[in-house]
């Protein structure tokens, strides 16, 4: 696996949960798995073993030297590309709102380094790259390394976690990537409307492409969700599939969650009340909110996530009797929108701007409902975590949200419109009044199972289809 973040080492979003959860599940299923990720400043490598001191990596005519450090965790080798000038920086992709000017070099180098790791440290049958940061692995293998016997028969998988992030850069920087200049020409694999596009080249060259829910695999082939790549994706539909993300229930389970004030389960729900009381206190919301539905939000503040709809319905939602506990950061416009709501009704809207993993667990446990009105959502993880915490999801029926939430475990609305979200919340708040029915719904939600082992079997079958000849067939 090659990707830019993985729990427990470094995380900005769901990709890290996936690279922390899927590889150990594959290992449990008998696969031999290594995950290659960059060694950022934030990554604490205490206890790591240096497995390669000076690994040469060529990029665009320059020779770079990186070290490789290994941490073995839950049966998986996490191999860190240690290259201080590229990754020993304050941020991962950006500082403040500014992306690093050399991200194209940083992640091209990372992809080249992953290929060298595959040559010298860990020899795989399949290289499985995630998102644009690792997308160049397939184009490198299929072009500059195509006559390298080390990689004969090695297959590539590209998983798209979010088509909204493609890794686009000025076309003039293309010569720094060490790829055939013909690939940069108009309509070439790396060119997209006059820019470089890392993800596009991965889509062109990968042997198989997956995305993180079945619904999203269909959606990205339409103009509405395709971000301009829908035509290309349609042309690769024969190798494109959707495999739903799983959940690491050793991290996300109210029965033994170490971050929440009291543990609880579907058979013993009393602890959840205590979690709610404590969460209200933490957000400075008055005790009287115990009798009202408390809606949780934990999110990156990005336009993908549907917060303009929340702005539209917030006042109505408070009039319905609900209160909000919000944790997130990102787009300053949404941060200010939430600041405005919290200033308007400090008794009903609690807000923390920032990134806080323990608090995200306490919101999952303490809220009654969890809101994800996304414009689009490739998979979405918090709604699945919410199910296990008996925190009923209110979601827009798109992508993975549609695939994971059904009538009886959550509430869905379809059109991306404030009025529809409001109606959906109104129905949920009304359902909350029927305490017995609500408890039944919580228990149903808590009994749903989205463990990684199910998804790992699907990935295993995908790998097998690539590396094992079909019955009676001949290996390529
Ligand atoms: P995305 O990857 O698009 O951000 P997902 O729902 O797949 O969305 O995953 C988001 C992950 O990041 C979840 O594990 C969520 O708990 C976590 N997360 C998002 N924002 C925050 C935050 N402000 N503080 C702590 N965790 C957060
Ligand atoms: C992306 C998507 C999210 C998905 C996550 C992990 O960040 O936005 O929907 O759950 O990747 O696959």
């Amino acid at each position: 696996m090659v990707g830019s973040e993985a729990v427990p080492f470094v995380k900005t979003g769901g990709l890290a949960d996936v690279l922390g959860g899927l590889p150990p599940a594959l290992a449990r299923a008998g696969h031999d798995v290594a995950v290659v990720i960059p060694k950022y400043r934030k990554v604490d490598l205490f206890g790591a073993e240096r497995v390669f001191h000076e690994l040469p990596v060529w990029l665009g005519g320059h020779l770079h030297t990186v070290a490789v450090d290994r941490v073995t965790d839950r049966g998986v080798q996490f191999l860190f590309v240690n290259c201080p000038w590229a990754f020993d920086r304050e941020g991962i992709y950006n500082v403040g709102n500014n992306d690093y000017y050399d991200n194209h070099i940083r992640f091209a180098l990372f992809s080249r380094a992953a290929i060298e790791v595959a040559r010298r440290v860990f020899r795989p049958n399949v290289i499985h790259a995630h998102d644009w940061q690792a997308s160049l692995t397939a184009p490198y293998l299929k072009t500059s390394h195509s006559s390298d016997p080390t990689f004969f028969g090695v297959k590539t998988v590209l998983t798209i976690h979010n088509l909204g992030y493609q890794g686009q850069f000025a076309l003039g920087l293309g010569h720094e990537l060490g790829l055939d200049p013909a690939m940069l020409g108009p309509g070439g694999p790396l060119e997209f409307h006059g820019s470089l596009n890392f993800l596009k080249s991965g889509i062109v060259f990968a042997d198989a492409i997956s995305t993180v829910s079945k619904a999203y695999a269909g959606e990205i082939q339409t103009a509405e969700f395709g971000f301009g790549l829908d035509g290309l994706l349609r042309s690769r539909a024969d190798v494109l599939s959707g495999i739903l993300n799983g959940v690491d229930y050793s991290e996300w389970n109210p029965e033994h969650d170490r971050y929440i004030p009291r543990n609880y389960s579907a058979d013993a729900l009393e602890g959840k009340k205590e979690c709610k009381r404590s969460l209200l206190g933490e957000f400075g919301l008055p005790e009287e909110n115990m009798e009202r539905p408390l809606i949780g939000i934990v999110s990156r503040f990005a336009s993908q996530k549907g917060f303009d709809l929340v702005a539209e319905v917030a006042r109505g939602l408070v009039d319905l009797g609900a209160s909000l506990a919000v944790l997130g950061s990102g787009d300053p416009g949404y941060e200010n929108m939430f600041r405005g709501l919290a200033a308007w009704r400090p008794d009903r809207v609690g807000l923390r701007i920032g990134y806080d993993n323990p608090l995200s667990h306490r919101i999952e446990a303490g809220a009654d409902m969890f809101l994800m009105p996304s414009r689009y959502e490739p998979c979405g993880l918090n709604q699945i975590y919410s199910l296990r915490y008996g925190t009923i999801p209110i979601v827009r029926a798109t992508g993975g949200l549609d695939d994971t939430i059904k009538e009886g475990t959550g509430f869905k609305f379809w059109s991306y419109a404030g009025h529809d979200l409001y109606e959906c919340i109104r129905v949920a708040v009304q359902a909350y009044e029927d305490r017995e029915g609500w408890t039944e719904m919580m228990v149903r939600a808590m009994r749903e199972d989205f463990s990684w082992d199910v998804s790992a079997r699907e990935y295993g079958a995908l790998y097998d289809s690539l590396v094992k000849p079909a019955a009676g067939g001949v290996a390529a």
Side-chain angles (χ1 to χ4, degrees):
M1 300 261 176
V2 189
S4 60
E5 41 184 278
V7 164
F9 305 103
V10 56
K11 166 167 166 177
T12 68
L15 170 64
D17 295 277
V18 174
L19 282 174
L22 171 61
L26 285 166
R28 286 195 293 279
H31 296 271
D32 196 6
V33 192
V35 180
V36 183
I37 60 172
K39 158 71 180 87
Y40 305 102
R41 183 176 299 170
K42 292 194 169 131
V43 172
D44 178 2
L45 276 191
F46 183 72
E49 167 195 6
R50 177 140 299 181
V51 290
F52 220 101
H53 287 271
E54 293 188 345
L55 185 69
V57 181
W58 282 97
L59 182 67
H62 295 278
L63 179 62
H64 301 271
T65 305
V66 308
V68 181
D69 297 316
R70 174 168 62 202
V71 174
T72 303
D73 181 25
R74 293 166 294 158
V76 174
Q77 297 187 41
F78 288 86
L79 299 169
F80 293 88
V81 172
N82 202 322
C83 180
W85 71 260
F87 300 118
D88 186 9
R89 300 185 185 181
E90 188 188 332
I92 294 173
Y93 311 119
N94 53 292
V95 254
N97 286 320
N98 297 320
D99 285 345
Y100 288 121
Y101 73 95
D102 56 354
N103 274 346
H104 63 297
I105 294 286
R106 298 172 73 223
F107 290 103
L109 177 78
F110 171 59
S111 299
R112 294 288 285 217
I115 291 172
E116 293 313 310
V117 167
R119 183 200 308 284
R120 312 287 269 274
V121 184
F122 182 97
R123 292 291 281 271
N125 307 109
V126 175
I127 296 185
H128 183 166
H130 297 262
D131 276 352
W132 73 263
Q133 294 89 346
S135 277
L136 292 186
T137 44
Y140 284 135
L141 280 177
K142 293 291 165 68
T143 60
S144 41
H145 289 62
S146 63
S147 54
D148 183 337
T150 305
F151 299 106
F152 285 172
V154 172
K155 301 295 180 180
T156 56
V157 177
L158 172 67
T159 294
I160 300 170
H161 294 263
N162 192 331
L163 201 58
Y165 301 85
Q166 301 180 358
Q168 298 201 49
F169 305 96
L171 195 58
L173 301 171
H175 67 279
E176 300 176 32
L177 304 178
L179 283 159
D180 179 352
M183 288 171 64
L184 309 171
L190 210 66
E191 190 274 347
F192 180 71
H193 297 293
S195 295
L196 291 177
N197 186 319
F198 279 29
L199 191 69
K200 178 185 169 189
S201 68
I203 294 171
V204 170
F205 285 105
D207 293 307
I209 302 159
S210 74
T211 185
V212 287
S213 67
K214 294 210 170 14
Y216 194 60
E219 287 170 355
I220 56 177
Q221 298 180 56
T222 67
E224 187 183 355
F225 296 99
F227 285 96
L229 291 176
D230 45 299
L232 174 63
L233 287 160
R234 283 196 300 278
S235 77
R236 303 234 57 206
D238 53 333
V239 297
L240 169 61
S241 61
I243 301 178
L244 193 69
N245 288 332
V247 171
D248 183 350
Y249 288 120
S250 68
E251 276 297 308
W252 295 96
N253 187 339
E255 288 180 44
H256 49 68
D257 188 324
R258 60 189 183 280
Y259 299 119
I260 65 179
R262 239 185 94 186
N263 293 112
Y264 61 93
S265 68
D267 301 317
L269 278 169
E270 311 77 55
K272 187 162 172 67
K273 252 210 167 97
E274 196 44 49
C275 292
K276 179 172 178 181
R277 194 181 308 279
S278 152
L279 186 67
L280 289 173
E282 191 169 355
F283 274 102
L285 297 169
E287 172 85 15
E288 67 203 37
N289 288 302
M290 277 307 284
E291 299 313 314
R292 304 188 175 119
L294 175 63
I295 303 180
I297 292 178
V298 177
S299 187
R300 294 184 292 116
F301 290 162
S303 65
Q304 168 198 349
K305 301 292 180 179
F307 294 123
D308 38 354
L309 294 191
V310 175
E312 265 183 62
V313 305
R315 280 154 209 269
L317 181 157
V318 166
D319 289 343
L320 285 172
S323 42
L324 276 175
V326 183
L327 166 66
S329 64
D331 186 323
Y334 296 121
E335 290 186 357
N336 287 333
M337 183 274 285
F338 279 116
R339 281 195 190 99
L341 290 177
W344 163 64
R345 286 299 296 262
D347 58 329
R348 300 293 280 280
V349 181
L351 173 67
R352 284 283 182 293
I353 301 283
Y355 184 90
D356 185 337
N357 182 52
L359 180 56
S360 74
H361 286 248
R362 291 196 292 276
I363 293 176
E364 286 292 0
D368 298 297
M369 304 170 189
F370 196 94
L371 183 56
M372 290 179 76
S374 305
R375 198 185 286 274
Y376 74 93
E377 197 63 71
C379 177
L381 294 169
N382 282 105
Q383 84 281 11
I384 318 182
Y385 302 154
S386 298
L387 290 172
R388 184 51 62 102
Y389 285 78
T391 303
I392 300 302
I394 299 174
V395 304
R396 177 154 178 266
T398 181
L401 296 173
D402 200 16
D403 282 358
T404 52
I405 304 306
K406 56 187 189 209
E407 204 185 323
T409 62
F411 296 89
K412 294 201 232 194
F413 67 104
W414 277 261
S415 308
Y416 191 78
H419 174 264
D420 294 51
L421 170 60
Y422 175 82
E423 263 312 295
C424 188
I425 295 176
R426 196 186 60 73
V427 171
V429 168
Q430 203 168 35
Y432 180 82
E433 297 304 319
D434 165 15
R435 300 322 300 259
E436 217 169 287
W438 189 263
T439 306
E440 280 166 21
M441 191 168 186
M442 286 169 65
V443 170
R444 243 188 333 266
M446 293 174 84
R447 299 231 153 101
E448 292 271 299
D449 184 8
F450 288 92
S451 60
W452 268 116
D453 298 314
V454 178
S455 323
R457 273 199 291 281
E458 288 188 53
Y459 280 107
L462 175 64
Y463 303 149
D464 283 348
S465 74
L466 295 173
V467 298
K468 290 190 181 154
V474 176

